[in-house]
C-alpha cells in the first residue's frame, strides 16, 4: 500500500512538472513549437491513463490551451480532459464549467469546423466532452446558441447519418441543446425534427444506443408546440405508432424498453396539442396503445410503458359534456333579489345552452394549479404550490381592532338573546317545572329597518320576551372521590373506540353479531313510510301489499335504549315541519331508524396496486368497444314527473328524493356498472361532492361498480384509504341499524368529462374527476343507502334538540331561541347553556352574569356532516350531570348556533345556501336578506363586543375532505409575519401567547387531534371567514376553526382507522374538557403565571406549527398519480412515479428562540 502511495506521489510530481513545462510554451509559442507541445501532452495523457487519476491533479491548467492549431495537441488535451472529468462524481465537471471550460470547447468546435474536412476524431472527442459537460452547465443551451455551435452540430449530423460512431455523441449534444425551449424552436426551423425521423428506425438489434439517444432528442424537441405541429403536418404520428407497434411485437424479451418508452414520450408530447390528439385518433392510436398495453399488463417491469400509454389515451379521449341538459341545479329557487355582481346574476345571465361548453383549445393539457385546497374555506386557495403568496402582509389588517361596525342602537335589539346578562335577572318562580316557557319569536326581515348609512346595518324592533328551559343529563355521575382524570375517562368511555376489539370491518360487513350491538326490542311501523300521502322506497321482503294498496306492517328495531336522543316518531314530525325546495315527501330509512356505531374497527382501505389503472382501462374500452355500452338512463331528476324510470327488472333502482339527498342522474353503462351524476348546489353550477342516495333491486352476491363522474376536487381521501358509507335496511330491521364503511377498488381520478370554464371560474381545460367504487349486497330485495359521510339532517338536529329539552333538569340553564328564519323558511336555532345560579342572592346572580362566554357554531357547509356529529358530542356533554359538565356550566355561558346553513343541509347542497354563495365567505359584509343566519350571528357577536363581553373563545366546527385527523386554524400576528418575512418592529408583534393554549390542550387529551396540522397564519383569501372576522373585528384572540377529518387518523390511538360518529362525538366532548383546563389558565390574575403555565403546557422545547398548503399524503403505490395534471407528464422516465403531494412545511418555533427573534 505504501509503495503504491509512493508511486502515486511520484506520478503526481511528474504530471505537475510536465504541466508546468506545457504552460511555458502556451500561447504563440505552442503554435511555433507544436511538436514539443504534442510530446508533452502525450506524456501527460500516458501518465494519467497508466497510473490512474490523482485527486491532486489540477484541472484548471487544461482549460488554458485553446490557441493551438495542432490537431494532435488538441486531441491530447481533450483526451486528458476526458480522463480527468470522467471521475469525481460530477464535482470536477462543475469546476470545469465554473472556469469557463464550456465556452472554450465551443471556441475549439467553431474554429476546427472551418477546416475542410474537419477532423472526425476531433469532432467526436469534442462532442463527447460537450455531452458530458452539458448537463452540468445551466447556461449550456444559451452559450451554444450565442456561439453558433447549434448549426455546427446539426450539419455534422446531416453529413454523418451513416456514421454511427460520430453520430452518437452529436445526438447526445443535440439532446442537451433541445432542452432549451428557444433552441428547440430554432432547431425545428432548421429541419432537425425531420432529421430525427430519418434516424429512428424499425426494430433492429443494431445501433440501439444511437436510436435511444435520437428518441430522447426528438422527445425534447416535441415539447415545443411549434415542433409538435410540424411533426403532425409531416404525417409522423402514424409513423411513431407503427414504430412503437413494431418494437412492441419484436422486443419479446423486453431488452429495449427505453426505446419503446422514447417512442411513447414523443407521442405524449405531440398529443399535448389539439392537432396531435386529432391525428392520434385518426391513426387508430387508441386501439393500438390499448391493445399493446393490455399485453404488457402481466409484466410488472413494463409498467412505465403502460402508464405512459394510459396517459396518452386519457389525454386523447374525446372530451364530452356531462349527460345533463344543464349544469345548473335541477332545482330552482327564486331569490328575493339578485345582487348584480353576485354569482347568481352571472349564472343566469348566460344564454340558454352555453352554460356547459366543452373547451377544445390547446390548453386542454391542463397546466393549471390546484385551486381547491381544502381548508375550512377550500375554494379560494389560488396557488398553494407556489410559495405563501396568500399570506396577509398588511400589518394594519393583522392587528385585531374591536370594530363592531354598527351603532349600539341598531344592535340593542339583540339584547333579548342575552337575558342572562341582564342586571335584573331573577330565577324563575319554579325551576323544577316541566313546561318550558314560550320560545322567542325569530327575527323577521319585515320588522327590520335599514339605516341609510352605508356603514350600518338593519335595526330590528321585536317584542321582548324572556324564557328559559332546562335539559336533563345523559350520563350518570361517577362515584364520589374520583379524580378529574378518572371522571373524564368515565364520561368518555361510552364514546371511545376500543381498538382492541378483535373484529375488522370485513367481519362487520358480513353481519357478525356483536354483544351489546344488536337491538332486541322491536316496534311496528307501516311500510312504506308516508308523508303527505307519498311513499318512500321500501323492502320487498317485508311482505306483499294487500289489495287496497296499504303497506305491510314491519317489525323494526326500537333503538331508544341505545339512542336516547333518537325517536323515529319525533323525527317524522320534525320532517313535516322542514321546508325544502323540491318539497320532499319521503323519509330515508337511515334517518328514521337512526345509527348505532359499530363495535368493530374500520381500518383504512388498503390500496391494491394497479386498481386505478384497470378502472381507467375499462373507461377507455367504452371508446374502443362502443357497442358494449348500454347507456341506459334509470334515474333522472330532470324528469320531475317520473325520475325513477321503470324497466324489466334488470337494472338497479335509485332514489334521492328525501332530506339531504343528492343524486341527479343514474346511467347504466354495463350490466353491473352505473355512472352517477351529482346535483350542483341550488343557484349554482358546481360544488359537487356530497352524495346521499338509495339503491334497490340488487342481486345478492353480484359485484356492482358505481362511478360518480362529476367530482371537482383534484384529489381526495378516497385515494388514501377512505371508503364510502352504506346503510342496509335489512340489517337495520335485523337489529343492526348502522352506517358501515364499504367499497373495494376505490379510486379517484381525472376523467374525460370537460368542465365548462363558466363553472370553473374562467379557467379553461378543466376536467371533472371520477370517484369509483365496487360493492356487493348480502340480502335479497334489500334497500341500501350510500353517502359521502355520516348523514346528519336538519330534522335530525331538531329531533335531538327536542329530546334534550324533554330530559332537562333544574340545575341546567337552557334557552332555545329562534335566531332567525332562513331564505327557505326554516328556523335557525340559538342555544344558551350554563348553570343555574344557586339563588337570587346578589353574589350568586353576579357570578352568574359575569361568567365568560364561549361562542360555538357549526355546519356552515352542508356537506361537512361530521361537524354536526362533533357538535352533538359537545351538546350532550354540556347537558350531562357529571361533575365535569357541572363545572363547565358553572365556568362559562355557552352560546351555540348548531347549524348555520339549514337550507343547504335540507336540500342536499355541498357548500352553499339557497343564495348560491358560500356563507363562510360572507362574514365581512353579510346581507340580511340573502345571508340571514350569518348576518344575525355576527350581530350577536357585535352586540357582545359593544357591551364589553366579547367571547373568550369562538370556534366554528368544520369538516376537512383532504386531510386526516382533527386540527385547528387560528389567528396570530407573529406567526403570520414569520411566514411572510415582512419587516416588523417589536411593537408590531406584541400579542398574547394564549391563542395556542386550547389546541395544545386538545392535542394532549384528544387522541384524534393533531397539533402538527394546526395553523395560525392569516391569509388574504380567508379574510371574510368567521375565524378571521371574529378575530379582527370582534377582537376575540382565541378565534378558531376546528376541522375534523372525513377519512380518519394517521397518528395517535386511532392511527390507521377510519373515523366514525363515536370518535366525532368524543371530539366534541373533549373540546368541552379542554375548555375547563383553559379556565384554569385564564383564571390566573398574574399574567406571568399565565405565560409560565402556557409554557408548561406547550413544553420547553420548540413546538412547531405546520402551515400546510396541500394535502399531507404519501405518494400513491401506483407508478403514476392519475389525479395529477399533465404538466407532471413531462418528467423524465425515471421520475414518472407517483409524485408525493407537495407539503410545504413552514416551521414556526414557539420556543424562547422564537420569542427572541420576534420580540
Amino acid at each position: 500500500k505504501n509503495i503504491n502511495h509512493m508511486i502515486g506521489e511520484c506520478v503526481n510530481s511528474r504530471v505537475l512538472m510536465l504541466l508546468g513545462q506545457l504552460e511555458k510554451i502556451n500561447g504563440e509559442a505552442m503554435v511555433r513549437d507544436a511538436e514539443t507541445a504534442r510530446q508533452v501532452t502525450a506524456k501527460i495523457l500516458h501518465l494519467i491513463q497508466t497510473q490512474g487519476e490523482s485527486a491532486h491533479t489540477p484541472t484548471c491548467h487544461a482549460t488554458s490551451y485553446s490557441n493551438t492549431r495542432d490537431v494532435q495537441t488538441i486531441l491530447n488535451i481533450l483526451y486528458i480532459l476526458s480522463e480527468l472529468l470522467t471521475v469525481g462524481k460530477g464535482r470536477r465537471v462543475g469546476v470545469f464549467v465554473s472556469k469557463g471550460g464550456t465556452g472554450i470547447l465551443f471556441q475549439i468546435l467553431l474554429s476546427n469546423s472551418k477546416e475542410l474536412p474537419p477532423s472526425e476524431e476531433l469532432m467526436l472527442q469534442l462532442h463527447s466532452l460537450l455531452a458530458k459537460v452539458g448537463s452540468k452547465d445551466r447556461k449550456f443551451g444559451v452559450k451554444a446558441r450565442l456561439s453558433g455551435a447549434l448549426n455546427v452540430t446539426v450539419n455534422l449530423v446531416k453529413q454523418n447519418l451513416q456514421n454511427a460512431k460520430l453520430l452518437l455523441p452529436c445526438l447526445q449534444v443535440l439532446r442537451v441543446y433541445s432542452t432549451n425551449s428557444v433552441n428547440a424552436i430554432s432547431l425545428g426551423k432548421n429541419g432537425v425534427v425531420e432529421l430525427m425521423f430519418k434516424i429512428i428506425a424499425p426494430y433492429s438489434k443494431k445501433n440501439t444506443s444511437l436510436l435511444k439517444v435520437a428518441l430522447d432528442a426528438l422527445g425534447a424537441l416535441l415539447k415545443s408546440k411549434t415542433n409538435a405541429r410540424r411533426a403532425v403536418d409531416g404525417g409522423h404520428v402514424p409513423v411513431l405508432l407503427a414504430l412503437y407497434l413494431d418494437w412492441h411485437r419484436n422486443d419479446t424479451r423486453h431488452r429495449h424498453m427505453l426505446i419503446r418508452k422514447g417512442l411513447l414520450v414523443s407521442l405524449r408530447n405531440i398529443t399535448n396539442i389539439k392537432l396531435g390528439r386529432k391525428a392520434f385518433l385518426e391513426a387508430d392510436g387508441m386501439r393500438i396503445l390499448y391493445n399493446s398495453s393490455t399485453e404488457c399488463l402481466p409484466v410488472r417491469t413494463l409498467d412505465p410503458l403502460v402508464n405512459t400509454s394510459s396517459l396518452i389515451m386519457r389525454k386523447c379521449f374525446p372530451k364530452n359534456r356531462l349527460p345533463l341538459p344543464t349544469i345548473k341545479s335541477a332545482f330552482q329557487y327564486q331569490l328575493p333579489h339578485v345582487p348584480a355582481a353576485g354569482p347568481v346574476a352571472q349564472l343566469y345571465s348566460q344564454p340558454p345552452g352555453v352554460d356547459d361548453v366543452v373547451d377544445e383549445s390547446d390548453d386542454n393539457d391542463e397546466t393549471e394549479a390546484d385551486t381547491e385546497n381544502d381548508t375550512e374555506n377550500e375554494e379560494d386557495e389560488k396557488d398553494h404550490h407556489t410559495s405563501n403568496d396568500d399570506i396577509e402582509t398588511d400589518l394594519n389588517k393583522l392587528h385585531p381592532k374591536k370594530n363592531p361596525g354598527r351603532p349600539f342602537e341598531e344592535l340593542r335589539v339583540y339584547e333579548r338573546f342575552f337575558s342572562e346578562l341582564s342586571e335584573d335577572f331573577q330565577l324563575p318562580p319554579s325551576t323544577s317545572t316541566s313546561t318550558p316557557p314560550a320560545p322567542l319569536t325569530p327575527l323577521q326581515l319585515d320588522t327590520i329597518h335599514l339605516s341609510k348609512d352605508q356603514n350600518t346595518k338593519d335595526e330590528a324592533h321585536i317584542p321582548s320576551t324572556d324564557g328559559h328551559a332546562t335539559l336533563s343529563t345523559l350520563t350518570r355521575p361517577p362515584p364520589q372521590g374520583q379524580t378529574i382524570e378518572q371522571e373524564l375517562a368515565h364520561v368518555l368511555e361510552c364514546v371511545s373506540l376500543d381498538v382492541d376489539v378483535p373484529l375488522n370491518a370485513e367481519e362487520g360487513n358480513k353481519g357478525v353479531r356483536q354483544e351489546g350491538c344488536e337491538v332486541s326490542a322491536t316496534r311496528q311501523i307501516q311500510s312504506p313510510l308516508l308523508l303527505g300521502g307519498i311513499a318512500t322506497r321500501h323492502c320487498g321482503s317485508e311482505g306483499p301489499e294487500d289489495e287496497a294498496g296499504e303497506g305491510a306492517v314491519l317489525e323494526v328495531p326500537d333503538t331508544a335504549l341505545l339512542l336516547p336522543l333518537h325517536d323515529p316518531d319525533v323525527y317524522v314530525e320534525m320532517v313535516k315541519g322542514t321546508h325544502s325546495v323540491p318539497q320532499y315527501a319521503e323519509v330515508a330509512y337511515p334517518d328514521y331508524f337512526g345509527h348505532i356505531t359499530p363495535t368493530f374497527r374500520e381500518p383504512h382501505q388498503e390500496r391494491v396496486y394497479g386498481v386505478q389503472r384497470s378502472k381507467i382501462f375499462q373507461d377507455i374500452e367504452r371508446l374502443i368497444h362502443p357497442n358494449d355500452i348500454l347507456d341506459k338512463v334509470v334515474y333522472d331528476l330532470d324528469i320531475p314527473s317520473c325520475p325513477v324510470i321503470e324497466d324489466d327488472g334488470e337494472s338497479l333502482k335509485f332514489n334521492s328524493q328525501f332530506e339531504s339527498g343528492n343524486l341527479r342522474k343514474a346511467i347504466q353503462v354495463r350490466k353491473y356498472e352505473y355512472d352517477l351524476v351529482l346535483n350542483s348546489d341550488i343557484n349554482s353550477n358546481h360544488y359537487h361532492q356530497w352524495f346521499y342516495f338509495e339503491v334497490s333491486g340488487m342481486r345478492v352476491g353480484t359485484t356492482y361498480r358505481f362511478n360518480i363522474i362529476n367530482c371537482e376536487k383534484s384529489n381526495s381521501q378516497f385515494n388514501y384509504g377512505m371508503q364510502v358509507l352504506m346503510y342496509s335496511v335489512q340489517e337495520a330491521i335485523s337489529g343492526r341499524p348502522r352506517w358501515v364503511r364499504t367499497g373495494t377498488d376505490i379510486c379517484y381520478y381525472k376523467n374525460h368529462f370537460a368542465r365548462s370554464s363558466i363553472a370553473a371560474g374562467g379557467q379553461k381545460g378543466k376536467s371533472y374527476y371520477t370517484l369509483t367504487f365496487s360493492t356487493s349486497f348480502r340480502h335479497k330485495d334489500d334497500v341500501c343507502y350510500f353517502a359521502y359521510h355520516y348523514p346528519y339532517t336538519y330534522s335530525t338536529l331538531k329531533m335531538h334538540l327536542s329530546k334534550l329539552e324533554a330530559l332537562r333538569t333544574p340545575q341546567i340553564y337552557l334557552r332555545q331561541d329562534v335566531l332567525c328564519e332562513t331564505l327557505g323558511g326554516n328556523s335557525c336555532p340559538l342555544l344558551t347553556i350554563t348553570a343555574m345560579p344557586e339563588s337570587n342572592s346578589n353574589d350568586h346572580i353576579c357570578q352568574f352574569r359575569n361568567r365568560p362566554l364561549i361562542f360555538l357554531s357549526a355546519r356552515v357547509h352542508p356537506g361537512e356532516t361530521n361537524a354536526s356529529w362533533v357538535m352533538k358530542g359537545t351538546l350532550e356533554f354540556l347537558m350531562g350531570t357529571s361533575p365535569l359538565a357541572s363545572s363547565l356550566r358553572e365556568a362559562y355561558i355557552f352560546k351555540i348556533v348548531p347549524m348555520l346553513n339549514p337550507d343547504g343541509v335540507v336540500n342536499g347542497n355541498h357548500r352553499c345556501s339557497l343564495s348560491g354563495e358560500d356563507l363562510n365567505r360572507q362574514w365581512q359584509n353579510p346581507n340580511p336578506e340573502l345571508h340571514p343566519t350569518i348576518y344575525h350571528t355576527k350581530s350577536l357577536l357585535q352586540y357582545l363586543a359593544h357591551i364589553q363581553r366579547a367571547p373568550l373563545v369562538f370556534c366554528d366546527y368544520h369538516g376537512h375532505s383532504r386531510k386526516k385527523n382533527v386540527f385547528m386554524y387560528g389567528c396570530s400576528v407573529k406567526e403570520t409575519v414569520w411566514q411572510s418575512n415582512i419587516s416588523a418592529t417589536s411593537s408590531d408583534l406584541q400579542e398574547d401567547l394564549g391563542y395556542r393554549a386550547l389546541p395544545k390542550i386538545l392535542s394532549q387529551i384528544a387522541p384524534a387531534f393533531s397539533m402538527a396540522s394546526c395553523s395560525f397564519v392569516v391569509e388574504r383569501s380567508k379574510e371574510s371567514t368567521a375565524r378571521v372576522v371574529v378575530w379582527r373585528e370582534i377582537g376575540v384572540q382565541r378565534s378558531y376553526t376546528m376541522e375534523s377529518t372525513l377519512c380518519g387518523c394517521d397518528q395517535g390511538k386511532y392511527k390507521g382507522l377510519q373515523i366514525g360518529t363515536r370518535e366525532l362525538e368524543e371530539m366534541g366532548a373533549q373540546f368541552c374538557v379542554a375548555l375547563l383546563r383553559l379556565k384554569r389558565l385564564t383564571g390566573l390574575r398574574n399574567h406571568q403565571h399565565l405565560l409560565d403555565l402556557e409554557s408548561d403546557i406547550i413544553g420547553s422545547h420548540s413546538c412547531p406549527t405546520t402551515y400546510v398548503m396541500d394535502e399531507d399524503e404519501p405518494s400513491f403505490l401506483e407508478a403514476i398519480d392519475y389525479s395529477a395534471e399533465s404538466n407532471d407528464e413531462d418528467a423524465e422516465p425515471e421520475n414518472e412515479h407517483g409524485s408525493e403531494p407537495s407539503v410545504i412545511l413552514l416551521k414556526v418555533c414557539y420556543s424562547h428562540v422564537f420569542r427572541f427573534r420576534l420580540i
Side-chain angles (χ1 to χ4, degrees), residues 71-206:
V71 173
Q72 188 58 51
T73 301
I74 295 174
L75 277 173
N76 289 343
I77 292 174
L78 294 178
Y79 292 144
I80 294 170
L81 284 174
S82 181
E83 291 289 339
L84 293 176
L85 299 182
T86 299
V87 293
K89 298 182 179 180
R91 181 180 57 85
R92 288 191 168 178
V93 176
V95 174
F96 180 83
V97 171
S98 68
K99 298 294 184 179
T102 306
I104 293 174
L105 291 179
F106 282 139
Q107 291 177 27
I108 296 173
L109 177 65
L110 287 171
S111 61
N112 285 274
S113 65
K114 299 174 183 177
E115 302 290 335
L116 294 177
S119 168
E120 179 178 323
E121 180 66 17
L122 184 60
M123 291 294 118
L124 189 150
Q125 290 302 323
L126 271 173
H127 283 85
S128 296
L129 267 178
L130 286 169
K132 194 174 296 184
V133 170
S135 60
K136 300 293 182 180
D137 190 345
R138 294 181 179 180
K139 297 182 178 181
F140 187 81
V142 177
K143 293 175 182 177
R145 183 171 65 254
L146 296 179
S147 66
L150 293 182
N151 291 334
V152 174
T153 303
V154 171
N155 290 333
L156 275 174
V157 172
K158 291 179 179 178
Q159 296 165 8
N160 293 275
L161 291 177
Q162 305 304 318
N163 185 351
K165 184 179 178 181
L166 177 58
L167 189 59
L168 179 60
C170 291
L171 289 175
Q172 290 172 335
V173 175
L174 202 60
R175 175 177 58 184
V176 184
Y177 288 165
S178 303
T179 57
N180 180 284
S181 58
V182 178
N183 287 353
I185 295 173
S186 176
L187 291 170
K189 291 179 180 178
N190 214 356
V192 177
V193 173
E194 289 76 9
L195 193 61
M196 292 300 103
F197 279 102
K198 293 180 180 179
I199 297 172
I200 59 176
Y203 176 79
S204 171
K205 295 182 180 179
K206 298 179 179 180

Side-chain angles (χ1 to χ4, degrees), residues 876-982:
E876 291 186 24
F877 185 90
L878 285 174
M879 305 313 299
T881 55
S882 72
L884 273 180
S886 298
S887 299
L888 189 63
R889 291 190 297 269
E890 292 168 1
Y892 298 113
I893 297 174
F894 286 85
K895 288 289 182 181
I896 302 174
V897 183
M899 190 171 284
L900 280 167
N901 192 351
D903 289 345
V905 173
V906 170
N907 293 287
N909 284 6
H910 170 62
R911 196 166 187 86
C912 299
S913 68
L914 293 184
S915 68
E917 298 168 294
D918 181 347
L919 290 183
N920 206 33
R921 284 293 182 280
Q922 311 306 321
W923 278 81
Q924 274 189 320
N925 188 27
N927 184 293
E929 280 190 301
L930 298 180
H931 325 118
T933 61
I934 305 301
Y935 179 83
H936 293 299
T937 302
K938 183 178 181 181
S939 297
L940 293 177
L941 291 160
Q942 290 174 320
Y943 171 79
L944 289 173
H946 258 299
I947 64 172
Q948 306 299 312
R949 292 298 300 274
L952 176 69
V953 172
F954 172 86
C955 190
D956 191 18
Y957 292 1
H958 280 255
H960 204 293
S961 68
R962 296 204 296 179
K963 287 181 66 179
K964 291 184 170 67
N965 309 312
V966 181
F967 51 93
M968 278 181 159
Y969 293 122
C971 302
S972 165
V973 176
K974 289 181 180 178
E975 301 200 24
T976 304
V977 169
W978 181 279
Q979 302 293 352
S980 60
N981 295 320
I982 61 176

Side-chain angles (χ1 to χ4, degrees), residues 691-711:
F691 58 86
Y692 182 18
F693 57 89
E694 172 193 299
V695 176
S696 59
M698 65 283 290
R699 294 185 179 184
V700 176
T702 298
T703 300
Y704 292 86
R705 177 184 172 185
F706 299 99
N707 311 307
I708 298 176
I709 62 174
N710 62 332
C711 302

